[in-house]
Structures are given as C-alpha cells and as structure tokens.
Amino acid sequence: AGGSAKATDLRLPTSIKPVSYVLELQPMINGNFTLYGYVEIVLDVIETTNNVTLHILDIITKNDTIKLYVGDQPGGDEVTILEHTYDPARNFYIASLEQPLEAGQQYLLVMEYKGYLNDQLSGFYRSQYSRNDGTQVWLATTQFAPIDARRAFPCFDEPAFKATFEVYVARQTNMTSISNMPLIEVIPFEDDEEWVWDHFANSLPMSTYLVAAVVSDFVFVNSTYNDHVLFRVWARKEAIEQTWYAIGAGPAILTWYEQYFAIPFPLPKQDMIALPDFSFGAMENWGLVTYRETALLIDPGLYSANDRERVATVIAHELAHQWFGDLVTMEWWTDVWLNEGFASYMEYLGTDFYEPDWNYLDTLANNEVQYAFRLDCLETSHPISVAVETNEEINQVYDPIAYSKGASIIHMMNHFLSEPTFRSGLTNYLTANQYDNAAQDDLWQSLTEQAHADGTLSQNLTVKTIMDTWTLQMGFPVISVARSGDGSLKLKQKRFLLVNNPNSTDTHDYKWWVPVSYTTQSSPDFTQTRPAYWISSAEDSITITGIPTDEWVFFNLQETGYYRVNYDTENWQLLIDQLNTNFSVIHIVSRSQLIDDALTLARAGNLEYDVPLGLISYLNHETEFVPWDASLKNMNYLEQMFTRTGSYGQLKHYLLDLLVPLYDAVGFDDSADDSQLEQKKRVLAVDWACHLEYDDCVTRAVDLFAQWMDNPTDQSIISANLRSSVYCSAVGQGGETEWNFAWAQYLATNVAREKDRLLYALSCTREVWILSKFLDMAFTENSGIKKQDANGVFGNIASNDIGRDIAWDYLQNNFDSIANYLQAFSVIGDLVTAVSAEFNTDLELQELKQFKMDHIDELAVAMYAVDQSIEKTYNNIAWMDSYYDYIVNWLADNGYPV
C-alpha cells in the first residue's frame, strides 16, 4: 500500500502471522442479541516481537481469560501479558508481553469475549422477517467484507493473513446453522437441552473476510448435479419455491467454471442463502454465498426478463469469485479490482453458458464499457489500482471503476491475447497462487508467459507493459482518425475528458498501449478483434496505409478496446449512410458503440451535434435491443438537462417520434413466448413511452392498474415485465388512493422482486406531501421499509422531477439523522450522486459545494462520490452554456418548433 506513514499505521505488524483459528460463537438471537465468543489462534512468529497485535471492533475482551502459550496447545508454558491496550482509530487490540516471542516458534493465543448482534448489516448481525401468520422471526448472519470480521471475533483482519478456521456455532434446537464447511457433528450443551453446538469441518486456508455463518429457521433444496460438490439453496420456508431457478443455475455454472478454469472446486459443498436483510447484492463467502432475496429468488409464477437476468448474473458473479477472490485473494485492497473486475467479466461467460439464447455477451459493452466511461471521463476519476491507506478508502474502492472498468480491461485483454491464451494463463495464475494471495503483477506474469509460449504476444512486449497503462493511471483515450487522400490514415491518441478544465492542476502525460482492430466497407468483418496494430504509450500517433479512400473504415471492433473513436466528417457520413441503407452490415455491438461514441463526443465538444442527431435517425429501422438501449441511455442525458426548461416539450415530441415506431412494433401487450431480448426491448419501449406520457401507454397503464385495484388477488392482470412501468404511471397519474393501494400491496407480497417494483412505484407520485412522508418512512425504524432499501427509496424519489428538490432539501436538513440511522456516512455518497444527477445551474453547484464544506469530516468516506457529483454539475452547466441553444435550434429546424 505504499510507504506513507498513514499506510504503515493502518496495517498490522508483520512479525506474527496466524496459522489456524478455532472459533466458538453463541449468538443470542432470541435473547438480548449478545454474541458470546471464544477464540484460539495458533501463531507463527516471523520476527522477534514483544507484543501481539490484532483487530477487534465493538468487542469486549475478558482480559482474565486471555492467555498466550508456548507451542500450539493450551496448557503449556505461559507467556506473561503485562498490559492489554486498545487503539480505537485502528481497531487494534495489543497485548504487551513480559518476554519477547522468538522467531521461528509457534504460540497459541486464547481468549473469551463478548460481541453484539447489531442491526447495521455488517459483522455478525441480526435480521428479521414475518411469517405468513404475522409472527416475527429473528435470524443471525454475517457480512465480514471488507473489514468487519473484527466485529465478530478477534482476528488478523487483512486479506493476506490467510489461515484455516475450525468453527463451532451454538444454536437452539429449533434452528439450524451453516458455515463455510460441512457440518461434522452436533454436540449437546451439558446444562441446557434447548441448545447444541454445531461443529464444522476445518476450512482450507482463507482470508478472514470470507468466513461466514448463518443461524436461522430456513429450509433448503439441494442438487447433486455435480458429483463431488453438494449444492444447496436456502430460503425462508414461505419462499422456498422461489429457489427453482437458482438451484438449476448454480450447480450448472459452478461445474462449467471448473471446466473453464481447469481447477476443480476444492470444497465438498456450496451453499447459497437468500437473506431478508442484506446491504450488498451478494457476498462470495467461500462455500456459503449470501444474497439479497432479490438476487437469488424468483417467483415461479410471476417473473420478468429482468428478474431472471438479475439472478443468473449475480449467481455467475459470486461463483466466479470462488476462484477469483476465494482460492486466490488479492494481497491488499489496492487490487480489489482483481476480485471484482474478474467476477464482473466472468458473469457474462457464466450467464452466456447457462442461457445461450440471451446473447448476453452482446450487452457487455453497454453495461460495463460504456458505464465505466461515464465515470472515467471525469478528472475526479481514479486509477483501477489505487493506493488504500485508510479504512474509509477501503470502503470506497468498491465502485464502478473496480467492477465495470475492471471487467472492460479484462475483456480487452481476452481479445488481444486470444481466448485460448487467456484461459491457459488464468489457469496457470490460479494454480500458482491457490490458497495464497496475489497482486496484479502476478497475473501479468502468468499471462505473459502463456502469450509468449503461444506466440500471441511479441517476445519483446509484456502484458505488464501494456496493462500498467490501463491500471496505474486513470481515464482512457479517444483515438481520432484522420484520412488523407493517398489511402493513409493517421490515428492519434489523447485522454478523453468530458470537459477540459482550463484550471486543471493535473500535469500527468496520459498515454496508453492501445490495441487497434479495424475493418472496411469493401470487406466488413467485425469478428477480427485481435489487434492489427498497437499505438504504444510512447507514441502520440501512428499512420497506417492501404485503406481505400472512398469507403468507410471502422476501428475498435465490437468495442473490445477500452477507448472511444472519432472520425473525420466524411467517414461519419459514410457510416451513417451504411446504417440507413443496411445497418446489419455493422455488428450489433458496434452499432451501439457508434451511437454512444457519437453522442458523447458531441457532448464533450469533439463533434458537431448534427452528426449523432443525424446518425440516430436510422433507429426507425433498428430492431435490436442493444443499440436502442445505448441510444436511450444517451438520450436520457438530454432529457435530464431539458426537464426544467421551456423547450422540454420540443425534445419530448422529438423523442416520441423516435420511439413510437419501436413501441408500435413491439406492442404494449406482453408475450411470455417472446425471446429474452424481445421482452427487454418491449420493457424499454413501454417504460420510455409512459415516461414521456405517450397517451396510448399512459391510458393502458392506468386502466390495468384500476382493474388490479378492483381485483387485488388476481396476479395475472399485469404481466411481470410491464409492472414497473404500469405501477409508476398509474401512481404518478393517481393520488392518495392509488398510493395507499400500492403500499398495501408492498406490505402484503411475499416476493422480494415485487416489493422492489412497488417501492419504485411509490416514489412516482406527484403529490409533494406523500413524497415527503415517504422520505421520512425510508429513514425510520419499523416503518415497513427495510434499512437495506432506504437509499434506494431516496434515489427513486430523487429521480422524480417533483421529488428531486424534496430529496435534496431532506438530505441537507437531515444529514446527521440519516447517517445515524444508516450508521454509515459512505452511503451518503450514493444519495448525493442520485440527487445531483440533473443539477445544471450555478445555484445548485454552490449548494453542493456548501454541502461538502458543511460536512467535510463526515464525508471523508464518501469523498469520491461527492467530488464526482460536483464535477458532473460543473460539466452540466458547461453543457447548458454551450449546447442547449444549439439543440433547441436544431429541433426547431427539424420540425419541432418552440
């Protein structure tokens, strides 16, 4: 983590390392929520030391029980502990010793302690659900990543301190417990027949953040699809029939990964469990993956295309982590992208294996590359590999740069190395580092060796040389293509920024190793994604020759390279002509790429807006989801900027004229027989048509909702795919009656995905007082809204044109109570991002800056998000100044007068 004092201070001393833990945990889940604990840790002494330092947080140590023995067994010679101290800033417990521990010797530390089952969704925490009869039931579960194992047991809570864990969990006999490893015996309490100890098999060497345990009254379904891994999916008894999809997908994807990585899954069992309260989407604990209910459960009679996609992709993501993250773990949080980028990339391969009809790989450019671009074109972005020197920074590194940019550059690497080289290199990397820790350089080494052996990379070039330019500096290039009359092209690289700030203090010379793939009009082939050329980080530009002068050329095929491309006016026009005459010549992903590049380049002032606005007119003929998705994500920006202006009506009519042919083609009525992509296309069209208040859409939505209000138990009236759009339109058009009905349905449903849809719809009301009430409810205990959903409700209200100001006022006026309720200032970053998305005036910029100054200390843990919101607002103001009038005039000239 670098050599700064701050970094050294945060880290545990390296003089001692743990070898094994024995852990006894008794959570009083049906009592006072105390956690009674006992731990034994066998220690290897690397360097002579006179103290033992490890992590604890919200734990009370019983100092008279803390003993340090010579050797690895209790009862041997004791080392006298002179003093027990606690360093709250670093969560350190320090035992100062009478005599030093000798290098090369083993010792055993034992202690009893007390912890607490909190309600903050981290550490060992409590969760609650209601049975169908209204009974409230408690369970206890864990979320240790990134740095909360220390809340449940004293430990060396850094990823490089791998050890084995032998876990005992105490439970009442009417409950069950599960952990990372299989249950090997049940031991009765000597003095209480209502309690037993569950003893789990000793684990393989693993990091503390991957240890997990759940005590619940849940039930499971199992699968023997894999002949050496018992696979189980757990849920509330009332929701167990919603595990049908997961129990099919999980074992199949796990088994496919075994073949892909050529490394068997090393544990004898894999559990997946759907938890009623969970802060993330899911967590890849080795052998026991925990999920939000929405990420694992699907109602067999009522599910949408998006429901299935969410569950398939999260399962594929978490199971990829069993190799990338669990078997091989990053050395320090600097390389968290190795975990998250890889899992985010592999989820596309795993999902595509299990659901080949979805063409899911075609969505990677939209979901990951273009998504990462939107953050990485800011000066307030950060490198993928980022120095992490405080606990606040550890929590901030789990962001779109780690996940989506990580996935994007791994995708790029796969294409420039070739799939066979990439796969073999990964297998070598995982094998060489299994049960251990690695840094990005270890991955580069394995891939370079394989590429050189296969002849897929020049012997004088290494993967490290190329990839360091993508991981150690932030941002990405735009490659501008300039054609000269002699058939030569000049390709020039330059960092792409949405706004070039004249006052910037960043003097770094940004250059990348850029893989250049291309095709031409006379022999179009978008499958040749291996680079024909490289622009090196030492070069501004390269020149290539032999390109026909009177036809289009296309660079960065299928957006496999993490960069944008800008052409001269002539080439743009040739590409537009191609789209209008026969768009299918250009690959589906590359059509999406053209739309996204053109609209973003115009937004940044690198291209006249006439080009993208002319380009997207071809959408009248476009039949595929992926280009439409890219187009509407970009149009969303125009819509956001126009929302509060007098010319919104012009833009709205233009967008409807673009959209209505698609809406008419897919139709409002859903059909379960349609392909996944056809269903997603209909959802997109209906969602936008209703949002833009297209009469046919709104009328039908309001009518369907009214029918449902008359027959609340009839689940067949509104198809699952259209529910979000229908609910939102009807609640938005309605009043208190419709809102109350949706709230009652929210409380009544047993399906988590349906709860999410209704929670979204409730934020669509235009009644100011209801939105205010709803915000209060989101941050109040026992209101019916779970703590895990509070920031989602806030974000939904902030995206409502009427709700935005209410949400911003609420955040400014209730900052302390919100942070206190969520017990995390980091979440405030998400709230600021959501509420400021449309800010585009000087007043809003000043308010945002003032908000940062007023809460500068508390916001340390959310500073990435806050600074990015300020920069985005500055950029929005610059856009309004430069392009608003231009777009208004363009609309007027093209049949949409003021």
Side-chain angles (χ1 to χ4, degrees):
S4 79
K6 207 164 46 161
T8 317
D9 287 348
L10 179 69
R11 304 290 290 270
L12 288 170
T14 52
S15 47
I16 300 176
K17 70 171 190 188
V19 177
S20 62
Y21 293 76
V22 175
L23 196 53
E24 297 177 7
L25 300 165
Q26 183 181 17
M28 304 303 289
I29 190 59
N30 295 310
N32 63 359
F33 305 130
T34 300
L35 172 65
Y36 294 105
Y38 168 79
V39 65
E40 297 179 1
I41 313 175
V42 176
L43 307 170
D44 265 351
V45 180
I46 313 301
E47 297 167 11
T48 302
T49 178
N50 57 6
N51 70 68
V52 174
T53 303
L54 43 72
H55 287 113
I56 61 173
L57 179 59
D58 296 341
I59 277 176
I60 300 167
T61 56
K62 296 184 179 176
N63 290 355
D64 57 335
T65 70
I66 302 176
K67 308 285 184 198
L68 186 62
Y69 299 105
V70 178
D72 61 0
Q73 297 296 320
D77 292 342
E78 272 192 56
V79 178
T80 304
I81 300 173
L82 296 175
E83 188 183 17
H84 307 276
T85 49
Y86 182 60
D87 175 349
R90 296 182 291 177
N91 312 149
F92 283 0
Y93 160 81
I94 303 159
S96 304
L97 309 174
E98 186 175 65
Q99 67 212 63
L101 304 183
E102 295 172 25
Q105 177 72 34
Q106 282 197 335
Y107 296 84
L108 178 71
L109 179 73
V110 305
M111 72 166 86
E112 293 177 30
Y113 63 92
K114 264 192 345 189
Y116 181 59
L117 292 175
N118 67 65
D119 62 350
Q120 305 307 327
L121 312 180
S122 62
F124 213 151
Y125 69 91
R126 62 185 191 263
S127 170
Q128 192 178 39
Y129 74 91
S130 296
R131 288 206 187 111
N132 287 347
D133 64 6
T135 315
Q136 295 292 306
V137 185
W138 288 103
L139 59 141
T141 184
T142 57
Q143 170 61 40
F144 290 163
I147 49 170
D148 286 310
R150 63 192 68 173
R151 291 178 189 268
F153 60 99
C155 58
F156 294 77
D157 201 11
E158 292 178 10
F161 285 115
K162 285 196 170 183
T164 61
F165 293 84
E166 186 179 355
V167 178
Y168 294 78
V169 177
R171 62 171 172 87
Q172 288 160 288
T173 50
N174 62 343
M175 302 186 93
T176 57
S177 77
I178 48 177
S179 186
N180 304 82
M181 297 299 288
L183 179 68
I184 51 175
E185 63 172 335
V186 179
I187 307 162
F189 269 42
E190 288 177 7
D191 53 355
D192 191 339
E193 59 187 28
E194 286 189 9
W195 283 82
V196 294
W197 284 103
D198 283 343
H199 177 201
F200 297 94
N202 203 14
S203 78
L204 296 167
M206 59 192 278
S207 303
T208 48
Y209 79 89
L210 294 165
V211 176
V214 183
V215 181
S216 71
D217 68 343
F218 283 16
V219 293
F220 66 85
V221 293
N222 68 5
S223 164
T224 52
Y225 177 97
N226 185 304
D227 63 7
H228 66 99
V229 182
L230 172 65
F231 209 107
R232 298 182 296 188
V233 179
W234 298 73
R236 298 178 285 115
K237 189 176 181 181
E238 288 90 344
I240 196 67
E241 77 284 355
Q242 297 174 37
T243 58
W244 65 276
Y245 189 84
I247 197 61
I253 292 171
L254 184 88
T255 306
W256 186 78
Y257 283 154
E258 291 188 307
Q259 294 156 8
Y260 187 88
F261 295 127
I263 296 173
F265 181 68
L267 307 185
K269 67 91 178 171
Q270 176 69 65
D271 284 315
M272 305 200 299
I273 186 165
L275 297 168
D277 298 283
F278 196 73
S279 60
F280 297 95
M283 177 61 212
E284 68 269 16
N285 314 298
W286 214 4
L288 170 51
V289 183
T290 46
Y291 293 80
R292 258 190 199 218
E293 288 195 351
T294 51
L296 193 66
L297 302 182
I298 299 180
D299 187 324
L302 179 81
Y303 61 86
S304 69
N306 284 330
D307 292 348
R308 266 202 322 187
E309 185 179 299
R310 172 70 176 156
V311 173
T313 55
V314 178
I315 288 173
H317 180 102
E318 301 309 325
L319 293 181
H321 270 310
Q322 306 301 301
W323 285 264
F324 264 95
D326 299 4
L327 180 67
V328 179
T329 310
M330 74 264 149
E331 282 176 4
W332 181 242
W333 304 106
T334 294
D335 283 328
V336 84
W337 80 271
L338 277 179
N339 279 14
E340 296 306 343
F342 253 98
S344 299
Y345 172 69
M346 288 305 303
E347 77 184 56
Y348 285 84
L349 278 61
T351 302
D352 185 60
F353 152 73
Y354 190 65
E355 297 283 6
D357 298 343
W358 291 3
N359 297 338
Y360 194 61
L361 289 169
D362 285 347
T363 64
L364 187 149
N366 284 25
N367 297 347
E368 310 300 336
V369 182
Q370 293 167 19
Y371 180 64
F373 279 168
R374 288 199 275 283
L375 185 55
D376 210 17
C377 64
L378 302 176
E379 285 205 32
T380 45
S381 184
H382 63 87
I384 277 188
S385 183
V386 58
V388 174
E389 300 178 349
T390 65
N391 286 339
E392 290 80 17
E393 286 172 351
I394 291 171
N395 282 298
Q396 283 195 86
V397 291
Y398 288 86
D399 76 346
I401 297 294
Y403 286 76
S404 295
K405 184 175 182 178
S408 301
I409 66 165
I410 290 160
H411 177 58
M412 172 169 72
M413 201 159 55
N414 176 309
H415 282 272
F416 74 67
L417 291 172
S418 80
E419 170 74 14
T421 295
F422 178 77
R423 262 180 83 166
S424 300
L426 287 193
T427 299
N428 297 345
Y429 163 78
L430 290 167
T431 304
N433 297 288
Q434 59 187 341
Y435 311 115
D436 207 344
N437 299 79
Q440 64 178 26
D441 282 356
D442 299 307
L443 177 61
W444 305 155
Q445 182 67 29
S446 295
L447 290 168
T448 299
E449 287 169 7
Q450 191 65 48
H452 287 166
D454 293 349
T456 50
L457 192 66
S458 164
Q459 293 292 331
N460 59 8
L461 190 54
T462 67
V463 172
K464 177 177 169 61
T465 301
I466 298 165
M467 295 306 291
D468 276 359
T469 68
W470 298 97
T471 61
L472 301 183
Q473 58 183 357
M474 62 176 161
F476 61 92
V478 55
I479 304 300
S480 53
V481 181
R483 187 188 293 250
S484 55
D486 60 1
S488 68
L489 292 173
K490 185 176 183 183
L491 274 54
K492 185 172 172 29
Q493 66 161 313
K494 185 184 181 201
R495 182 184 178 191
F496 179 78
L497 285 169
L498 209 49
V499 173
N500 281 293
N501 178 2
N503 304 318
S504 173
T505 55
D506 187 349
T507 56
H508 178 72
D509 183 24
Y510 288 88
K511 297 281 195 310
W512 291 264
W513 273 86
V514 184
V516 178
S517 58
Y518 76 99
T519 192
T520 60
Q521 185 171 349
S522 48
S523 51
D525 181 358
F526 282 81
T527 63
Q528 296 300 315
T529 55
R530 293 284 311 282
Y533 301 96
W534 286 90
I535 307 174
S536 82
S537 61
E539 298 172 300
D540 279 326
S541 62
I542 60 169
T543 300
I544 61 177
T545 56
I547 308 291
T549 53
D550 55 347
E551 57 179 64
W552 57 256
V553 60
F554 193 108
F555 285 91
N556 194 16
L557 304 179
Q558 296 188 53
E559 206 160 20
T560 48
Y562 185 72
Y563 58 92
R564 296 195 181 280
V565 183
N566 196 2
Y567 302 100
D568 53 40
T569 312
E570 181 192 358
N571 199 70
W572 276 115
Q573 194 53 55
L574 289 166
L575 287 165
I576 291 169
D577 292 345
Q578 180 67 66
L579 288 172
N580 282 318
T581 50
N582 181 5
F583 62 78
S584 64
V585 170
I586 297 176
H587 190 281
I588 180 173
V589 176
S590 287
R591 301 202 297 275
S592 159
Q593 171 190 356
L594 273 179
I595 293 164
D596 186 62
D597 274 356
L599 280 160
T600 312
L601 289 163
R603 185 173 153 188
N606 296 10
L607 190 61
E608 291 286 341
Y609 254 109
D610 289 18
V611 174
L613 293 171
L615 187 151
I616 58 175
S617 63
Y618 101 91
L619 287 169
N620 276 328
H621 316 292
E622 179 60 78
T623 54
E624 297 284 355
F625 169 78
V626 170
W628 268 107
D629 182 48
S631 180
L632 291 171
K633 279 174 177 159
N634 276 282
M635 285 299 160
N636 187 50
Y637 180 74
L638 290 184
E639 206 239 1
Q640 285 181 322
M641 291 303 97
F642 270 68
T643 298
R644 299 183 169 217
T645 70
S647 297
Y648 179 72
Q650 288 172 267
L651 181 72
K652 182 169 128 175
H653 293 306
Y654 165 71
L655 291 174
L656 278 172
D657 281 352
L658 204 59
L659 192 73
V660 167
L662 176 72
Y663 175 84
D664 289 342
V666 292
F668 184 93
D669 296 318
D670 208 26
S671 169
D673 299 333
D674 285 341
S675 70
Q676 176 85 355
L677 284 164
E678 189 70 15
Q679 292 180 51
K680 287 186 67 174
K681 198 166 60 172
R682 179 175 298 111
V683 170
L684 197 63
V686 170
D687 202 40
W688 268 85
C690 276
H691 174 69
L692 294 169
E693 299 187 309
Y694 183 52
D695 278 349
D696 183 73
C697 191
V698 173
T699 304
R700 295 175 75 156
V702 169
D703 180 51
L704 280 175
F705 196 81
Q707 289 179 47
W708 187 36
M709 287 177 71
D710 291 339
N711 303 278
T713 56
D714 187 347
Q715 293 297 332
S716 67
I717 294 170
I718 310 168
S719 86
N721 276 324
L722 299 181
R723 286 190 172 202
S724 278
S725 307
V726 167
Y727 294 175
C728 182
S729 277
V731 170
Q733 298 292 322
E736 188 178 1
T737 308
E738 286 76 10
W739 196 92
N740 287 340
F741 174 79
W743 175 251
Q745 294 301 312
Y746 166 79
L747 293 176
T749 183
N750 180 41
V751 180
R753 295 287 296 185
E754 179 70 354
K755 273 198 190 298
D756 265 16
R757 284 189 278 266
L758 286 157
L759 214 49
Y760 166 65
L762 289 162
S763 69
C764 296
T765 180
R766 295 172 192 191
E767 298 278 359
V768 171
W769 71 272
I770 297 178
L771 288 169
S772 296
K773 178 179 86 164
F774 195 31
L775 268 175
D776 278 333
M777 291 164 69
F779 297 100
T780 304
E781 296 279 3
N782 305 317
S783 67
I785 299 171
K786 288 180 178 291
K787 190 167 285 190
Q788 65 175 23
D789 296 322
N791 60 342
V793 169
F794 181 94
N796 291 340
I797 291 173
S799 69
N800 172 338
D801 288 342
I802 288 157
R804 189 188 93 183
D805 294 343
I806 300 167
W808 179 223
D809 288 349
Y810 190 88
L811 179 58
Q812 293 173 94
N813 292 329
N814 299 280
F815 180 86
D816 291 331
S817 62
I818 290 171
N820 189 46
Y821 177 63
L822 298 174
Q823 287 289 303
F825 285 105
S826 56
V827 179
I828 301 279
D830 297 335
L831 307 186
V832 174
T833 302
V835 79
S836 64
E838 293 183 3
F839 283 6
N840 61 7
T841 67
D842 288 326
L843 177 62
E844 287 160 341
L845 179 62
Q846 293 315 314
E847 287 178 349
L848 203 49
K849 286 178 170 177
Q850 189 61 48
F851 178 78
K852 175 184 169 178
M853 293 312 299
D854 289 347
H855 306 289
I856 191 84
D857 294 335
E858 301 94 327
L859 288 172
V861 71
M863 207 45 82
Y864 279 170
V866 174
D867 285 344
Q868 284 155 6
S869 295
I870 289 170
E871 186 181 350
K872 285 177 188 169
T873 303
Y874 170 83
N875 290 354
N876 291 346
I877 293 167
W879 187 90
M880 290 296 287
D881 289 346
S882 300
Y883 304 115
Y884 172 75
D885 290 339
Y886 185 96
I887 301 281
V888 171
N889 291 331
W890 185 91
L891 288 167
D893 292 345
N894 284 272
Y896 304 96
V898 179

